[in-house]
Amino acid sequence: MKSFKWPKHSILAIAVIATWIKTVIVYETSFDMKLENMMQTFILFINPISFLLFFYGLSLFFKTQKTRNRYIVGGSIVLAFVLYGNVAFYRFYNDFVTLPVLFQTSNFSGLGTSAMEIINPIDILYFMDVFILLIAVKFIPKNDGDLLPIRKDGRKAYFVMATAVFFLNLGLAETERPQLLTRSFDRELLVKNLGTYNYHLYDIYIQSKSSAQRALADGSELVEVNNYVRANQAEPNVKMLGKYEGRNVIAISLESLQTFVINNEMNGEVITPFLNSLTQDKDTYYFNDFYHQTGLGKTSDSEFIFENSLFGLGRGAVFFTHGGNTYNSFAERLGENGYFTNVMHANNKSFWNRDMIYQSFNIDKFYDVESYEVKEEESVNWGLKDIPFFDQSAKLMAEMPQPFYSRLITLTNHYPFYLDEEDILIPEFDSNSGTLNRYFQTVRYLDEAVKEFFDDLKEQGIYENSIIVMYGDHYGISENHNKAMAQYLGKEEITPMDSALLQAVPFYIHIPGSNDGQVMDTVSGQLDIRPTILHLLGIDTSKDMQLGADLFSEEHEDFVIFRDGRIITDELVYASEACYDRATGDEIEVENCQPYIDRATKELQYNDAIINGDLLRFYDEKTGNLKIDSVK
């Protein structure tokens, strides 16, 4: 009986097939990508093939089988780490990793318990194709044909086939989603159509392109952006303009706080009793249809938006990638008007590159962890607990020259949402998600901390002459926990429209003694904070390069853009490439959303042009004109 003879280049074939099958399985089990039809399913199925054929096919240029096998096994290890890196990142951010994120190494040391929550022992299975290849290399006997030099025409035919597969994939993707490569901010769309590996090649191309933009920029690009900003500017409400001139500004970033907990209960337990009371307070404006507009930069993005009324970048944290740019920040405008400006955050000053970018924002002082007394029993998760943080911050404020602007960044309500036993005020929820279950407890602690901070401010004599601005910085519960969220909200499932609306975060403007507070239901977002507060203080922003609008202006539109291209108005929601009637939840023709889609795309492109080209160095914010000498 004739013995079985392995075909020529068996190791190459096994590598392509094993990694392909593993990748498709990972798509199905580890990522929550919405597939609307069979064509999208087919594209997702074939999209790893072309890259794998090219990548592993490079082994055909090596002369010996031993060298080829080493390259293939080594390559499979690299690809396994790339894929697993995306899986781990997706578990936390519900997104795919980008090149700039990989260089945020100064943040890695602070991950702590968050990283432990993300990594599981069973994750070794993500390297199964590597084990298969090692076994194949060890036990498949050498083929005589593998010992001969590889013919050029054979190599050529192989790469022609790989190229054909790539263009088949790209052609089907462009048919299914026209102008696919113009939507680089929608990473799920790119991965669904191009595949994880091709997406990363495209990401490298986009990063190289954006890096070149600053070197090539001459300021002329700002003309069109400036015209757009001026055309969409909302005139301030004359009744509110300067109404609270000279007051201190205390801005509180409420870590991971989403609106769904406000005025709500969990198994009969009130989640946010103090924040609930503020929604009906005579001195508080509460915005109940307000959304975070952050991207991968999370808290740092919310800071950037607050200071500049510009979006962050879609592919990483602008705090890292463009920390040395020229900006015209909220802090700078207040500093020009006699304010002492500062940020208070009991964390390392280098985290998120804060110590560097705060200089670009012209912030006078950063009260980092060195400004606080941090005892072990008063620390949890990422650092100093919120109650002692607020207590010490109020004492520091009492020593500041007035008027001052302080922006405080809280920490305790941070993933993975653990508390010490003595800080637990309500029981856990009872879903299948430990993350969501614990979230209610840390939110309740945050609410108590804010309540005590108000008392601290009164005790220090600061409260009465201040405006207290509070906002949720970004989501706390990602779409990975949709099943548990559906249980809590009493829904059968969380639709793309539901998911978009769940990005709502609380926004409060508390003005002691104003006696004209109310609930505001205008659709709005974090970009609107800067012009709103500056106008309350009587500071003109008509010449500022900002994309937000004053929330008290009669010209403010019920329209908010997300960093990933999703859109919410008072009538429509655009999410997952579908348009929804907000009142009914029904999917309607996408043409209904198209004018908003076009505007969102343009605004995001203008925003990225400003940041990538560092265009504000060519702009005179005093006159609202370009610096002519720079653009000649």
Side-chain angles (χ1 to χ4, degrees), residues 39 43 169-178:
M39 179 57 74
I43 292 171
N169 179 180
L170 185 61
L172 292 175
E174 280 287 341
T175 301
E176 185 65 25
R177 183 61 178 87

Coordinates of all heavy atoms in Angstrom, one line a residue, residues 39 43 169-178:
M39 N -24.4 38.9 2.0 CA -23.2 39.4 1.4 C -22.2 39.9 2.5 O -21.0 39.7 2.3 CB -23.6 40.6 0.5 CG -22.3 41.2 -0.2 SD -21.4 40.0 -1.2 CE -22.5 39.8 -2.6
I43 N -18.4 38.5 3.0 CA -17.2 39.4 3.0 C -16.4 39.2 4.2 O -15.2 39.1 4.2 CB -17.7 40.9 2.8 CG1 -18.2 41.1 1.4 CG2 -16.5 41.8 3.1 CD1 -18.9 42.5 1.3
N169 N -12.4 40.9 -2.7 CA -12.8 41.4 -1.4 C -13.1 42.9 -1.5 O -14.2 43.3 -1.0 CB -11.7 41.1 -0.4 CG -12.0 41.5 1.0 OD1 -11.2 41.3 1.9 ND2 -13.2 42.1 1.3
L170 N -12.2 43.7 -2.0 CA -12.4 45.1 -2.1 C -13.6 45.5 -2.9 O -14.3 46.4 -2.6 CB -11.1 45.8 -2.6 CG -11.1 47.3 -2.5 CD1 -11.3 47.9 -1.1 CD2 -9.8 47.9 -3.1
G171 N -13.7 44.8 -4.1 CA -14.8 45.1 -4.9 C -16.2 44.8 -4.3 O -17.1 45.6 -4.4
L172 N -16.3 43.7 -3.6 CA -17.5 43.4 -2.9 C -17.8 44.4 -1.8 O -18.9 44.8 -1.6 CB -17.5 41.9 -2.4 CG -17.4 40.8 -3.4 CD1 -17.2 39.5 -2.7 CD2 -18.7 40.8 -4.2
A173 N -16.7 44.7 -1.1 CA -16.9 45.7 0.0 C -17.3 47.0 -0.5 O -18.2 47.7 0.1 CB -15.5 45.8 0.8
E174 N -16.8 47.5 -1.6 CA -17.2 48.8 -2.1 C -18.6 48.8 -2.7 O -19.3 49.8 -2.6 CB -16.2 49.2 -3.3 CG -14.9 49.8 -2.8 CD -15.1 51.2 -2.2 OE1 -16.1 51.9 -2.5 OE2 -14.2 51.7 -1.4
T175 N -19.0 47.6 -3.2 CA -20.4 47.5 -3.7 C -21.3 47.5 -2.5 O -22.4 48.2 -2.5 CB -20.6 46.1 -4.4 OG1 -19.7 46.1 -5.5 CG2 -22.0 46.0 -4.9
E176 N -21.0 46.9 -1.4 CA -21.8 46.8 -0.2 C -21.8 48.1 0.6 O -22.8 48.6 1.1 CB -21.3 45.7 0.7 CG -22.2 45.5 2.0 CD -23.6 45.0 1.6 OE1 -23.8 44.4 0.5 OE2 -24.5 45.2 2.5
R177 N -20.6 48.8 0.6 CA -20.4 50.1 1.3 C -19.6 51.0 0.5 O -18.4 51.1 0.6 CB -19.8 49.8 2.7 CG -19.7 51.1 3.5 CD -21.1 51.7 3.8 NE -21.1 52.9 4.6 CZ -20.9 54.1 4.1 NH1 -20.7 54.4 2.9 NH2 -21.0 55.1 5.0
P178 N -20.2 51.8 -0.5 CA -19.5 52.8 -1.3 C -18.7 53.8 -0.5 O -19.1 54.1 0.7 CB -20.6 53.5 -2.1 CG -21.8 52.5 -2.1 CD -21.7 51.8 -0.8

